[in-house]
Amino acid sequence: MEKTFIKTGIFGGTFNPVHIGHLALANYLCEYEDLDEVWFLVTPQNPFKKDVRLLDDRIRLEMVEAATRGYPRFRASDFEFGLPRPSYTVDTLRKLSETYPEREFTLIIGADNWAKFDEWRSPEEILRKYQIMVYPRSGYDLHIPDTVQGHVKAVQTPLLEISSTFIRRAITEGKDICYFVHPEVYRIIREKKLYISE
Ligand code: ATP
Ligand code: MG
């Protein structure tokens, strides 16, 4: 009998904080593309690149957990917290496959990242072993060369041009942008007084 794998999309980011642009995209991919689940992999702080503005790993994870709890096909993941840093995508995917042999992983990236994909570490290995879904970002051409057809799929998703940078700045400026993040994320931001001063 043919083995069936749980089709798991990997969506990585700093999620500082996670916003409705991230959530709507991942939600769309679960419902309209061939994915059973999407895992939000929170990228930990790189100790060699101490960006003081990047919020503590645990708080960013807590916000992703809060935002993803209400939808059974999402999972908040701290998988990269336990890996050597900085973690390269190819290493993370290798470890994920070892740890979860019952799953088939698909990398979810934006057209902005796809444009630079050949500069990543071991792009050929990623292409050979994993599926990649590329979603549109405004200002970027979404071109998939014939040589990688079958490994890389361009997905047509609605575009919500919201960024974490915008959210952080808006809060610092005292704006009430409550509808741009999940209500539970907004609650955490207010309770912990996050992003008040950048
Ligand atoms: P920042 O403004 O701090 O760069 P961000 O909003 O881009 O934050 P990231 O944590 O960098 O958030 O995003 C994680 C992944 O989601 C990245 O690959 C990023 O390109 C993508 N992404 C960010 N915003 C959106 C959006 N509005 N719609 C779809 N994908 C997005
Ligand atoms: Mg970004």
Side-chain angles (χ1 to χ4, degrees):
M1 206 173 78
E2 204 187 322
K3 197 163 177 224
T4 51
F5 294 96
I6 307 166
K7 292 177 180 155
T8 309
I10 293 300
F11 187 35
T14 47
F15 302 120
N16 185 31
V18 63
H19 54 69
I20 56 166
H22 301 129
L23 296 165
L25 170 81
N27 184 189
Y28 183 93
L29 295 178
C30 284
E31 299 296 332
Y32 288 92
E33 291 296 330
D34 193 17
L35 287 179
D36 298 313
E37 293 179 11
V38 170
W39 289 7
F40 291 67
L41 247 70
V42 179
T43 307
Q45 174 89 249
N46 179 350
F48 301 107
K49 206 167 111 189
K50 204 76 187 159
D51 181 353
V52 285
R53 285 165 306 164
L54 184 56
L55 213 64
D56 183 79
D57 299 349
R58 288 280 149 200
I59 300 181
R60 288 182 288 115
L61 177 69
E62 186 186 333
M63 291 192 282
V64 175
E65 281 169 346
T68 53
R69 200 167 284 136
Y71 182 65
R73 293 164 76 173
F74 282 170
R75 182 188 291 193
S77 172
D78 63 357
F79 192 80
E80 282 194 337
F81 290 14
L83 300 183
R85 301 175 198 187
S87 40
Y88 294 99
T89 303
V90 65
D91 300 324
T92 303
L93 288 169
R94 258 190 226 137
K95 276 271 175 231
L96 280 166
S97 304
E98 270 171 45
T99 312
Y100 302 97
E102 71 287 6
R103 291 178 182 267
E104 179 186 88
F105 291 102
T106 295
L107 187 64
I108 300 167
I109 60 174
D112 50 339
N113 281 322
W114 173 245
K116 294 178 295 187
F117 184 74
D118 55 359
E119 294 166 28
W120 288 22
R121 176 172 284 201
S122 315
E124 344 48 51
E125 182 181 338
I126 299 178
L127 280 167
R128 197 171 60 243
K129 298 207 223 150
Y130 303 92
Q131 295 290 318
I132 303 181
M133 273 182 192
V134 188
Y135 61 88
R137 293 303 305 268
S138 70
Y140 289 87
D141 179 36
L142 213 177
H143 173 70
I144 311 296
D146 288 344
T147 48
V148 297
Q149 296 281 354
H151 301 269
V152 185
K153 183 177 183 196
V155 287
Q156 292 309 323
T157 55
L159 279 180
L160 277 176
E161 278 308 318
I162 299 165
S163 68
S164 300
T165 305
F166 165 76
I167 308 274
R168 293 193 302 272
R169 193 171 297 150
I171 294 167
T172 307
E173 290 170 354
K175 307 288 187 197
D176 184 355
I177 44 77
C178 57
Y179 292 108
F180 285 72
V181 293
H182 187 284
E184 280 302 304
V185 172
Y186 200 61
R187 194 187 54 73
I188 295 170
I189 289 175
R190 284 198 301 185
E191 190 182 277
K192 297 190 188 295
K193 301 187 167 50
L194 307 177
Y195 313 119
I196 298 287
S197 57
E198 280 284 278

